[in-house]
Amino acid sequence: DFGQVIDALRQATGNTGKISEVLGALEWETVGETSPIHITVSSREEQTTVKVMGDRGPTGAVIFGVIGIVGGFLSMGIAGAIIQPETLPGIVGLVSACLGGGFLTARTIWTTTGRGYHSKLRRLMGAASRAIDESVKPPALPSDSSDTP
């Protein structure tokens, strides 16, 4: 029951997503996020497979491109206030502070946001798996008390 799986994914992400069917498999992906998530649910030979894939490439470009540059300039400003930028060692120190500070800022943000993103992927896998398990459970047999002595 793909409808039950779609509802579970939408509820887990808060994103309506984009749905398509490719070769009998359900494909769902987030819409409007910088780190898109793509989920494929396929059912073949009485076996259902769920694949959850994430793409953090666009987020990495923003973090390392924009935030890294801002962090680098801030580090360079702090270093410039501490060392003598008129000398060759001072200039090397400023450049090092800019590059190192930018990288460390971006790497810290990348690592921190990555933990939350991976947690989100695990939640989605769990939600899809539970929805599939619930949709394939056989109906409960009614209890008939007349058969008992």
Side-chain angles (χ1 to χ4, degrees), residues 84-144:
Q84 297 287 330
E86 298 86 22
T87 63
L88 181 60
I91 293 171
V92 171
L94 284 179
V95 171
S96 299
C98 180
L99 296 175
F103 177 77
L104 288 176
T105 302
R107 180 72 180 154
T108 301
I109 293 171
W110 175 259
T111 302
T112 304
T113 59
R115 287 186 195 116
Y117 186 72
H118 288 210
S119 176
K120 185 177 187 177
L121 294 178
R122 283 191 296 276
R123 279 194 319 271
L124 285 173
M125 178 62 100
S129 297
R130 281 189 300 279
I132 290 167
D133 287 345
E134 289 174 9
S135 70
V136 297
K137 279 184 186 175
L141 297 175
S143 63
D144 188 10

Side-chain angles (χ1 to χ4, degrees), residues 6 10 15-20 26-31 38-39:
I6 293 297
R10 286 177 171 166
N15 190 313
T16 58
K18 182 176 89 175
I19 305 165
S20 58
L26 168 73
E27 293 194 355
W28 180 89
E29 70 181 298
T30 56
V31 175
H38 185 91
I39 298 175

